[in-house]
Amino acid sequence: QVQLVESGGGSVQAGGSLRLSCAASGYTYSYCMAWVRQAPGKEREGVASIDSDGRRTTSYADSVKGRFTISKDNAKNTLYLQMNSLKPEDTAMYYCAAEGYCGLSTTYNYWGQGTQVTVSS
């Protein structure tokens, strides 16, 4: 069984940065892992994913390319999302997810509880 615990969310002004962390327990080394967000009144949106292949292939939503970076530390079994140049439209609950189709899917078998990111203009 995999458990995911996110941290690092908060409130920042536009242009600021945040780093989200997702501490995983259980086996995640062969899983695709991802960050998915959901803003109030909107559907869940795949933000970024990282595959378990040797190249650690990453995918990003067009809206975050060049601003967000996903990474994973296998030694710590922890997933990260570095978010720079934040915009008000990035405001959402951010979820860590694991074991699903890599890319920008929102279908994963394991989910964290979410961490709130609020960006003010």
Side-chain angles (χ1 to χ4, degrees):
Q1 187 72 10
V2 172
Q3 291 186 324
L4 305 171
V5 179
E6 302 98 332
S7 61
S11 297
V12 295
Q13 290 191 327
S17 298
L18 283 173
R19 187 194 195 203
L20 305 184
S21 298
C22 171
S25 60
Y27 184 85
T28 64
Y29 305 104
S30 64
Y31 295 160
C32 174
M33 294 190 74
W35 291 97
V36 177
R37 67 186 180 187
Q38 187 167 23
K42 295 188 177 181
E43 293 185 351
R44 283 188 175 182
E45 173 192 21
V47 175
S49 66
I50 184 165
D51 210 338
S52 59
D53 61 8
R55 294 175 297 172
R56 298 199 180 186
T57 302
T58 57
S59 298
Y60 295 93
D62 288 343
S63 58
V64 307
K65 278 181 183 176
R67 300 188 297 122
F68 291 11
T69 302
I70 189 171
S71 62
K72 188 184 180 193
D73 186 333
N74 279 335
K76 296 181 179 180
N77 206 9
T78 300
L79 182 73
Y80 301 99
L81 185 68
Q82 178 66 45
M83 304 186 295
N84 299 327
S85 302
L86 282 160
K87 304 176 181 180
E89 51 264 44
D90 295 318
T91 295
M93 185 70 80
Y94 283 71
Y95 297 92
C96 173
E99 195 183 26
Y101 291 105
C102 246
L104 299 176
S105 166
T106 58
T107 304
Y108 292 90
N109 287 331
Y110 301 105
W111 292 85
Q113 82 288 352
T115 186
Q116 178 68 37
V117 171
T118 302
V119 185
S120 58
S121 58

